[in-house]
Amino acid sequence: MQGQSQAAGGEEADSEVSARKKMFTEVQAEGLEQAQKTVLISYPTGISKRSILQYLSRHGNINSHFFYEGHGPHAMVEFSERESIYSLQDVAQIACCSSVPGIPLKSRLFTLTPRQSLSQALDETSVHNYQHPTIPVEDLVQKLCCADSISNQMYSLLNEYQLTEENIKLRFLACSLIQDIARAYFPECVVKPFGSSVNSFGKLGCDLDMFLDLDEIGRSSTPKKTGAFQVEYHIKRMPSLRTATQKILSVIGDCIANFSPGCTHVQKILDARCPLMRFFHQPTGFQCDLTANNRVALRSSELLYVYGNLDSRVRALVFTIRCWARTHGITSSTSGPWITNFSLTMMILFFLQNRKPPILPTLAELKNLADAEDEHVIRGHDCTFVSNPNKINQTENTETVDVLLNEFFEYFGNFDFSSKSINIREGKEHNKPEPSPLYIQNPFEQARNISANVNQNQLDRFVALTRECAWLLQQDSTGKHQLA
Ligand code: GTP
Ligand code: MG
């Protein structure tokens, strides 16, 4: 699992990076596999945590667990085998069969009722607790003030705000629970997390982007393309991929709204450029966006994951600049003419490609390192790049993150946004192909500008703030208090 315990200093952080270069697909496969063997238990306060674990272990070996306070006290319990879940389901009552009217569904969410007597007086020392959301701002400022350099402040910020191992497990579990629902329609579909939950740039509290992957259905049907028959249900014709996506999301959305326990505030946002279903998953506390036919975004997440795992400075810089942008209202949680975190991250990667010597390779260089298994062409878009971070050479650039922060502000404070576009494929500025105020070429869908939503006013605010910050950092050579 990426980035769980980032060290406070650059050197320690570097050694950690070299030890954890898992491939994105491995992280995905491992996370999804574990999530399939996991249950979520809501229990009344006052019940001994150890007794809950003891009770559950009657159904099989427990691989990992943690307790957290979400919408009431919860336990996340991962068994070694899926059979343990069936065994637990067999002895559980179904809520609607007792007093409350409802639709019977055997989910992996369990509620421990107060009348189920479990022992109250057991030793709680070895249970694993997890503080659910995020650090209060005052505590964070306090911590930052204790750091003796801006670089250490930046690593501290990363440490406090990055997703924890438990938080990532919960994200995979939420996907897996939605997959249970989606499989009522599409028995072999897979629901995968993408975006900042898995691209190594996720901050505690970020939304959970889910991708309903239906391609696994075609992949698992063997033998392929040799029989005389086509399975008709599988290829029901639609006027366009967009219409198919809207229809699929619409039925899954109805399923989520009507049958999925704990999903509230379900909204169909099917007319968006990328159609989606938005809902709140109460047991895990995540705001979720479910999309389908969005494989390019999954591959973008993999690309960001590769960049984030190449050098420890990348994530420290991205977290700091994302926090800075949010604090100053450059980015926002609502959609509008603002720069998004995704666009901002592209700008940071581009800046790092343009250091001398470069800290990050261009996408074209990553493509040159690709093997046959890295080749991906998605709906005509070339999404090929080396997926294994271990195959990419380390940079010789030794600039510290505080220097990079200052240089980032300088660089974009003086960038010629009026005529130039940003493009991480070449790592070079190009003349803008059209007059949007900010033009950041989509790395894969190359004719698209990912920041087409940004208006001149928002870009001007960004530039003014970068200039001001570059000036502030240059005023104070220690700079210690400026970030806090
Ligand atoms: P957060 O703000 O932390 O949620 O960052 P995020 O990276 O998860 O961004 P967001 O939830 O807005 O989008 C999820 C993913 O969709 C991103 O990581 C990208 O892979 C993709 N994405 C977002 N915006 C765009 C866009 O404008 N164009 C394209 N092609 N993909 C986008
Ligand atoms: Mg997101």
Side-chain angles (χ1 to χ4, degrees):
M1 210 61 79
Q2 46 84 20
Q4 303 329 324
S5 51
Q6 187 74 38
E11 275 173 29
E12 288 162 89
D14 274 338
S15 65
E16 189 198 324
V17 166
S18 56
R20 67 167 155 79
K21 288 184 178 175
K22 268 189 189 172
M23 284 172 64
F24 181 81
T25 44
E26 288 174 83
V27 177
Q28 284 269 331
E30 197 177 290
L32 292 169
E33 170 73 22
Q34 288 170 348
Q36 293 263 68
K37 298 178 193 157
T38 302
V39 293
L40 207 51
I41 316 258
S42 143
Y43 61 95
T45 30
I47 300 276
S48 145
K49 295 170 181 170
R50 180 128 300 281
S51 65
I52 295 173
L53 292 177
Q54 271 185 0
Y55 177 80
L56 291 173
S57 60
R58 287 191 221 150
H59 295 274
N61 185 42
I62 294 175
N63 232 6
S64 72
H65 75 270
F66 58 83
F67 289 85
Y68 68 94
E69 199 62 43
H71 193 73
H74 280 80
M76 202 208 81
V77 179
E78 180 201 340
F79 287 106
S80 302
E81 307 291 337
R82 283 214 80 179
E83 285 62 33
S84 306
I85 298 176
Y86 307 139
S87 157
L88 185 60
Q89 282 172 331
D90 277 348
V91 297
Q93 307 163 39
I94 295 178
C96 77
C97 297
S98 47
S99 54
V100 196
I103 297 161
L105 179 108
K106 278 195 174 180
S107 82
R108 285 184 281 142
L109 298 172
F110 295 86
T111 303
L112 189 62
T113 53
R115 64 201 144 94
Q116 282 164 317
S117 57
L118 298 179
S119 156
Q120 307 269 328
L122 286 165
D123 175 17
E124 301 282 73
T125 46
S126 60
V127 298
H128 181 177
N129 292 308
Y130 155 57
Q131 201 65 30
H132 196 30
T134 182
I135 176 171
V137 170
E138 308 78 55
D139 296 359
L140 177 71
V141 170
Q142 195 69 38
K143 282 203 169 152
L144 295 185
C145 287
C146 294
D148 59 5
S149 66
I150 289 185
S151 290
N152 281 340
Q153 285 184 319
M154 292 170 72
Y155 283 110
S156 238
L157 189 76
L158 173 60
N159 234 354
E160 297 299 333
Y161 273 161
Q162 70 187 338
L163 301 182
T164 59
E165 185 171 350
E166 292 86 359
N167 193 284
I168 294 173
K169 274 180 188 267
L170 270 182
R171 286 169 188 267
F172 275 101
L173 176 61
C175 287
S176 173
L177 295 172
I178 296 302
Q179 177 179 287
D180 287 350
I181 299 295
R183 283 190 173 186
Y185 269 95
F186 304 108
E188 290 159 79
C189 73
V190 182
V191 175
K192 300 173 176 173
F194 73 101
S196 58
S197 298
V198 286
N199 69 13
S200 82
F201 298 120
K203 175 171 168 282
L204 285 172
C206 69
D207 70 350
L208 170 54
D209 302 294
M210 297 177 170
F211 168 59
L212 174 70
D213 190 351
L214 299 173
D215 292 2
E216 302 287 336
I217 296 173
R219 241 172 250 142
S220 59
S221 54
T222 49
K224 272 187 187 160
K225 295 177 188 162
T226 53
F229 295 96
Q230 286 189 336
V231 184
E232 205 42 57
Y233 79 85
H234 183 59
I235 51 157
K236 180 155 185 169
R237 305 272 187 260
M238 290 282 155
S240 68
L241 184 64
R242 182 175 168 82
T243 314
T245 306
Q246 288 167 328
K247 288 210 184 297
I248 289 165
L249 286 176
S250 182
V251 292
I252 301 294
D254 287 338
C255 270
I256 291 173
N258 294 316
F259 308 126
S260 188
C263 292
T264 63
H265 301 87
V266 182
Q267 275 175 277
K268 292 184 182 182
I269 308 178
L270 301 176
D271 289 332
R273 187 187 70 76
C274 180
L276 62 95
M277 290 299 312
R278 180 162 289 168
F279 57 93
F280 182 65
H281 192 255
Q282 204 170 54
T284 55
F286 296 128
Q287 183 64 46
C288 305
D289 279 349
L290 176 70
T291 56
N293 287 319
N294 195 16
R295 190 164 288 284
V296 176
L298 192 69
R299 195 69 179 145
S300 308
S301 305
E302 182 163 7
L303 178 65
L304 294 195
Y305 173 88
V306 170
Y307 277 128
N309 281 277
L310 281 184
D311 188 294
S312 65
R313 290 169 292 182
V314 180
R315 295 176 65 236
L317 194 63
V318 170
F319 267 73
T320 303
I321 293 170
R322 279 189 175 199
C323 283
W324 165 82
R326 190 59 197 272
T327 306
H328 290 282
I330 291 170
T331 53
S332 165
S333 59
T334 55
S335 54
W338 300 279
I339 298 175
T340 62
N341 274 333
F342 184 57
S343 294
L344 193 60
T345 307
M346 287 294 157
M347 293 167 90
I348 301 166
L349 300 180
F350 181 77
F351 159 75
L352 293 173
Q353 290 172 335
N354 279 279
R355 298 310 297 157
K356 302 226 171 357
I359 293 180
L360 290 178
T362 63
L363 179 51
E365 286 164 341
L366 295 184
K367 184 180 168 180
N368 288 340
L369 293 172
D371 291 333
E373 71 262 23
D374 296 322
E375 273 177 33
H376 283 73
V377 177
I378 304 169
R379 282 182 277 123
H381 303 296
D382 181 3
C383 302
T384 301
F385 61 86
V386 61
S387 304
N388 186 345
N390 303 299
K391 291 186 184 165
I392 306 165
N393 286 338
Q394 292 290 309
T395 175
E396 285 171 10
N397 181 309
T398 56
E399 288 169 300
T400 53
V401 279
D402 58 331
V403 169
L404 292 172
L405 182 65
N406 196 350
E407 292 291 331
F408 171 86
F409 291 137
E410 274 286 324
Y411 185 82
F412 282 113
N414 295 298
F415 191 85
D416 180 10
F417 287 107
S418 63
S419 67
K420 301 293 181 199
S421 68
I422 289 165
N423 151 357
I424 66 157
R425 184 167 280 275
E426 302 300 333
K428 278 199 231 118
E429 342 176 327
H430 284 284
N431 290 331
K432 282 203 288 195
E434 44 99 345
S436 301
L438 176 60
Y439 196 104
I440 304 175
Q441 190 193 58
N442 186 318
F444 299 126
E445 294 162 282
Q446 293 179 49
R448 275 221 163 107
N449 173 12
I450 63 164
S451 50
N453 62 311
V454 177
N455 66 19
Q456 191 62 50
N457 184 30
Q458 290 303 321
L459 179 65
D460 291 346
R461 285 193 59 236
F462 171 77
V463 172
L465 278 163
T466 52
R467 287 182 184 164
E468 190 184 323
C469 287
W471 184 82
L472 280 172
L473 286 174
Q474 280 152 18
Q475 297 313 297
D476 182 348
S477 57
T478 64
K480 181 174 164 182
H481 302 293
Q482 301 296 351
L483 283 184

